[in-house]
Amino acid sequence: MRRSQLFVPGNMERMIQKSRLLGADSIILDLEDAVPAGQKEKARALVSKSVSEVEWGRRELCVRINSPSSRQGRADIARLGSLDRLDTFVIPKAEGDLSTIHRSTGKRLIPIIETAKGLSGIDLVTGSGGVDAVAYGAADFSLSVAGSVSEYLDNVYVKTKIVVAARSTGIDPIDNVFFDLKDMSGFEKSARQARALGFSGKQVVHPSQIRTANRVFSPSREELKWARKVLGAYNKSSRSGKGAIALEGALVDEVHRKLAKRMLDDSSTAD
Ligand code: GLV
Ligand code: MG
């Protein structure tokens, strides 16, 4: 479950220590863009020590490495690839087939689609061995296509393409980070749009965004009430041979039964 996936700068010891106490479903210790060039080696050592020594609980623990084709990225993989507690490598600016990283380390992979080439060849990325979720990076993406971050933060074309690629191979799509830390209603709106498009969670960059993400990506009380009502009415009518009924003025048939069931299944995994 990744309703919220928190980025923590890999060179900030206090933030790393604190992150385990927060309610994020998944944590990403970042060695890429949150760490300045001169601190890469220091951060790699700190992240390596923290992965092994901090009590992370049962949540997913990830590290975002530097680009795997760079010297820093290769050093990240070599240093961290054999740490047992590390579940997943998050791969920035992912393009092409990533299977060799999974084969050489056994780690799961979460590629971030954040370049034009990554998006246009997304099936190659998501079809790589070991990939079990895919994320979106709106800032780098806007850089790659010479557009603006504000447009690409909520761009429906890009997001739909990522959701379709993910769901067609049975992996989770995770929505992008939202940079304005003071705009909580903007964050919630963005999360709601993402959930409606089919994302299963959202990456977050501040503790204040975690609770909202966890709430938005869990079924609400009203949704659960609706789901129970649909299942009850459908089961009753199908016993008497009717597959399509009107429930409070709206048509309900087999697909609505499936939607209602998915909602209840989602709520039992969120418990
Ligand atoms: C995140 O990595 C972004 O580029 O938006
Ligand atoms: Mg990026």
Side-chain angles (χ1 to χ4, degrees):
M1 192 171 58
R2 303 181 187 94
R3 298 168 304 177
S4 53
Q5 187 170 54
L6 176 70
F7 272 106
V8 185
N11 57 338
M12 297 287 176
E13 186 159 13
R14 254 171 25 110
M15 284 176 153
I16 294 175
Q17 290 288 345
K18 187 178 159 204
S19 66
R20 77 180 182 92
L21 304 171
L22 305 170
D25 289 338
S26 172
I27 290 181
I28 304 175
L29 305 178
D30 189 14
L31 292 175
E32 200 221 17
D33 281 358
V35 176
Q39 290 203 22
K40 294 286 186 189
E41 181 52 44
K42 189 177 148 223
R44 194 178 295 123
L46 175 62
V47 164
S48 168
K49 178 169 161 283
S50 307
V51 165
S52 307
E53 292 179 6
V54 172
E55 183 45 69
W56 293 104
R58 291 180 52 209
R59 64 160 63 86
E60 178 183 58
L61 182 62
C62 318
V63 169
R64 178 164 75 169
I65 59 170
N66 293 279
S67 168
S69 59
S70 69
R71 193 174 58 78
Q72 295 291 359
R74 286 192 295 273
D76 295 338
I77 295 170
R79 177 80 184 246
L80 302 161
S82 58
L83 298 182
D84 284 345
R85 181 57 188 86
L86 181 64
D87 300 305
T88 302
F89 279 132
V90 173
I91 314 293
K93 303 171 184 64
E95 295 174 353
D97 186 75
L98 305 170
S99 304
T100 52
I101 305 172
H102 172 64
R103 268 202 304 274
S104 63
T105 63
K107 299 301 179 198
R108 295 198 296 257
L109 307 179
I110 300 182
I112 310 183
I113 299 298
E114 47 185 351
T115 62
K117 191 168 165 200
L119 187 68
S120 64
I122 188 169
D123 291 336
L124 208 55
V125 175
T126 53
S128 307
V131 171
D132 73 347
V134 60
Y136 168 45
D140 269 301
F141 190 83
S142 65
L143 190 65
S144 166
V145 300
S148 77
V149 178
S150 61
E151 169 54 38
Y152 279 102
L153 268 182
D154 291 312
N155 185 277
V156 173
Y157 165 73
V158 175
K159 294 198 175 194
T160 308
K161 188 158 168 144
I162 290 173
V163 168
V164 171
R167 296 295 184 196
S168 68
T169 48
I171 63 172
D172 276 350
I174 310 173
D175 193 42
N176 53 291
V177 300
F178 186 86
F179 298 101
D180 187 342
L181 305 180
K182 293 185 297 304
D183 184 5
M184 283 312 293
S185 70
F187 176 82
E188 176 154 353
K189 190 161 164 252
S190 171
R192 287 196 179 285
Q193 181 218 30
R195 180 169 177 234
L197 288 173
F199 284 92
S200 53
K202 191 163 177 63
Q203 295 188 326
V204 300
V205 281
H206 194 268
S208 64
Q209 298 174 331
I210 295 173
R211 196 202 289 243
T212 305
N214 287 349
R215 174 167 47 78
V216 170
F217 287 95
S218 303
S220 67
R221 210 172 298 159
E222 294 72 43
E223 286 170 325
L224 292 177
K225 201 167 143 199
W226 170 86
R228 284 192 204 99
K229 202 183 275 183
V230 166
L231 281 186
Y234 182 89
N235 289 340
K236 195 162 150 218
S237 75
S238 64
R239 275 197 295 275
S240 61
K242 265 206 278 179
I245 52 168
L247 179 64
E248 295 171 6
L251 180 99
V252 166
D253 65 7
E254 173 63 12
V255 64
H256 302 94
R257 182 195 67 77
K258 288 181 185 154
L259 286 164
K261 183 165 179 315
R262 193 202 59 199
M263 194 71 77
L264 294 172
D265 290 348
D266 282 358
S267 93
S268 61
T269 46
D271 284 345

